[in-house]
Amino acid sequence: MKIRKVSTPVWMPTLNTNLASNFLNREQLLREAVLLTFCDPLPEQYGRLADLSVRRWHKLLQWLDVSGLTLYLLDRLVELRRCNILPPGVLGRLQQNLHDNIGRTRGMAAESVAIQQEFQGAGLLYATLKGFSLCPGSVPKAELRHQFDLDFLVDEESAREARQILERRGYRLYAISGRSWEFKISEKPVVSLDDLYKDAPWSCILRPSTRVIPAC
């Protein structure tokens, strides 16, 4: 997911955020304030996040976790030097989430490299999709993005051998949906939203295709 800092071009009318906000409830107003935090210059609606109770922050964090914005918000507040708006416990939670996700990202990157080395050693035709393939063009900081799986597009003729490679690495075929094969090492459920960022076993997706183009 790419988040850009934006400013209103001179040829566009200024958005009347006060008028739009008249139709939002308090929870929606807080979410709007989070999104506006990524704008340059920082709009005054950002101030809604100041002096929120810990209970309100925890409710807002549930939405941030699900939407994938938690670590992006922390990074933006650090950039703006506005982390003081966060209660100490909330700031500590976000910093721990970032620390955990850095470890998770490194683990997934190492596993992706290991799988690709085996694919290359077997002479398979493949391409990486989403996730790390978006960095740095669409995702400047990989550690801020939460990634659920490793995704590979493989040539149909390579699909069986690619499956065998994954199975030797401990994965098992968990589900087939359309042209996507999902492999898992563990089916341990996520206990809480905080566990989203921990370096836990992830999934691997194979997408057999006839449209894999070999690199020049």
Side-chain angles (χ1 to χ4, degrees):
M1 176 175 58
K2 180 180 179 181
I3 296 181
R4 298 189 309 170
K5 297 175 227 176
V6 298
S7 56
T8 305
V10 295
W11 48 266
M12 289 183 62
T14 302
L15 175 65
N16 189 335
T17 52
N18 290 325
L19 178 61
S21 297
N22 291 336
F23 300 95
L24 303 177
N25 59 38
R26 182 170 183 182
E27 182 177 345
Q28 292 169 329
L29 288 172
L30 293 177
R31 294 179 181 182
E32 180 190 52
V34 167
L35 298 177
L36 292 174
T37 302
F38 296 97
C39 295
D40 278 328
L42 192 63
E44 63 179 16
Q45 287 82 358
Y46 147 86
R48 299 177 194 143
L49 299 177
D51 301 322
L52 284 184
S53 67
V54 173
R55 183 181 66 84
R56 281 280 182 182
W57 265 113
H58 280 298
K59 187 172 182 180
L60 184 59
L61 285 174
Q62 292 178 6
W63 172 72
L64 288 166
D65 287 332
V66 172
S67 64
L69 290 173
T70 299
L71 300 181
Y72 289 101
L73 177 62
L74 174 62
D75 185 69
R76 178 62 170 155
L77 291 178
V78 169
E79 179 186 5
L80 294 170
R81 298 182 181 180
R82 302 292 179 92
C83 287
N84 59 305
I85 71 167
L86 299 170
V90 174
L91 177 59
R93 193 266 219 190
L94 297 186
Q95 290 172 332
Q96 184 62 52
N97 290 157
L98 177 59
H99 179 269
D100 290 341
N101 203 57
I102 289 174
R104 177 183 175 87
T105 301
R106 288 174 178 170
M108 295 188 76
E111 178 68 3
S112 178
V113 169
I115 291 173
Q116 291 184 65
Q117 287 175 337
E118 293 203 37
F119 283 179
Q120 292 169 17
L124 305 189
L125 188 59
Y126 75 94
T128 58
L129 298 175
K130 302 186 295 184
F132 302 118
S133 67
L134 301 178
C135 188
S138 180
V139 184
K141 298 181 180 180
E143 68 272 16
L144 301 182
R145 185 181 188 275
H146 186 264
Q147 186 167 334
F148 290 95
D149 51 52
L150 301 173
D151 208 325
F152 299 97
L153 185 71
V154 295
D155 183 74
E156 283 188 340
E157 295 183 359
S158 301
R160 177 171 294 184
E161 192 165 0
R163 173 179 176 175
Q164 293 172 350
I165 288 172
L166 292 180
E167 289 175 341
R168 288 198 297 268
R169 296 189 62 82
Y171 293 88
R172 75 174 187 86
L173 184 59
Y174 177 76
I176 297 178
S177 177
R179 300 185 65 83
S180 297
W181 301 358
E182 181 179 4
F183 295 80
K184 289 188 177 183
I185 289 182
S186 172
E187 297 177 34
K188 181 180 178 181
V190 175
V191 178
S192 69
L193 288 175
D194 284 359
D195 294 332
L196 287 174
Y197 306 96
K198 297 187 182 302
D199 189 16
W202 44 81
S203 302
C204 188
I205 307 295
L206 289 184
R207 304 180 190 275
S209 175
T210 58
R211 295 179 294 175
V212 182
I213 301 175
C216 298

